[in-house]
Amino acid sequence: MTINPSLRSVLLLLLAFAACKSVPYTNRKQLVLVSASEETALGQSAYTDALSKAKISGDAEATAMVKRVGARIAAVSERPDFNWEFNLLDDPQTVNAWCLPGGKVAVYSGILPIAGDEDGLAVVMGHEISHALARHGSERMSQGLLAQLGGVALSAAMATKPDATRQLAAQAYGAGATVGVLLPFSRAQESEADRIGLILMAKAGYEPGAAVDFWGRMAAAAGGKDSTPEFLRTHPADDKRIKAIQEQLPEARGYLKK
Ligand SMILES: [Zn+2]
């Protein structure tokens, strides 16, 4: 079936209007063509896939810290519909972390030395959880869907090509390291996740200024190594980022309990 061009543009407009949402805290308008239930299903299936390829850490103390930080941030995230899960994965070579839609969070043990302490870990987890709250992965998938006018293609793809769709979702939602492909979020999405992450930290009772120290350590970790950590390939820790975070701190500190 061919769709005539003017009908096509009306359809696109209607679609865009129906799918236009705004991001919590920043109120940026975004186009999301993946429904909340599709997003949760994609997240769940990418999560099952990722965990089947990973080794859960046996370090009880570090695991307890990941679960404690996660629970504190989840408690202030205002997403009672999320079925939160927090995992520490035993993988000292992988400097990375992610949060899939629905609240499925993984931290690789390789990022712990750079996180340093509980506040540093809250920077990482607050940032990753913010990508999920702001629906950045679905936004990224939607841009591709809109380009092909395939609003129905997602559910069809899930039904006919589950493995390929799961991989695509893992890449779009930031857990692509486990399938060998890393697709960075845009610079604007990164900055937005920094901003929301700082707010979540403050609401959870962590000092958001820890983010400046964390990104400094991350930048230092980039030097003198043969390979750049995964997290840095998708999260440039440059002066621009650190300066932007410093400018975002006063807003976040407004959320600290007095
Ligand atoms: Zn990020």
Side-chain angles (χ1 to χ4, degrees), residues 127-128 131 185 190 235:
H127 176 90
E128 292 306 318
H131 277 307
F185 288 109
E190 280 304 320
H235 292 80

Side-chain angles (χ1 to χ4, degrees), residues 219-227:
K225 277 201 176 173
D226 300 336
S227 60

Side-chain angles (χ1 to χ4, degrees), residues 1 11 48 133 144 147 168 178 218 225 254-255 257:
M1 186 186 82
L11 276 174
T48 307
L133 296 184
L168 183 73
T178 52
M218 195 46 103
K225 277 201 176 173
Y255 287 88
K257 286 196 186 78

Side-chain angles (χ1 to χ4, degrees), residues 131 137 140-141 167-177 179-186 189-190 230 233-235:
H131 277 307
R140 190 153 63 180
M141 283 191 83
Q167 289 204 358
L168 183 73
Q171 290 161 19
Y173 292 116
V179 292
V181 180
L182 284 158
L183 207 62
F185 288 109
S186 74
Q189 289 176 324
E190 280 304 320
E230 286 77 9
R233 271 188 268 150
T234 51
H235 292 80

Side-chain angles (χ1 to χ4, degrees), residues 2-37:
T2 52
I3 301 173
N4 102 16
S6 59
L7 177 61
R8 184 188 157 111
S9 53
V10 169
L11 276 174
L12 275 177
L13 259 179
L14 281 174
L15 203 58
F17 185 73
C20 200
K21 304 277 190 296
S22 51
V23 175
Y25 301 106
T26 70
N27 291 321
R28 177 176 64 84
K29 295 280 180 285
Q30 63 180 173
L31 180 72
V32 180
L33 299 173
V34 183
S35 73
S37 61

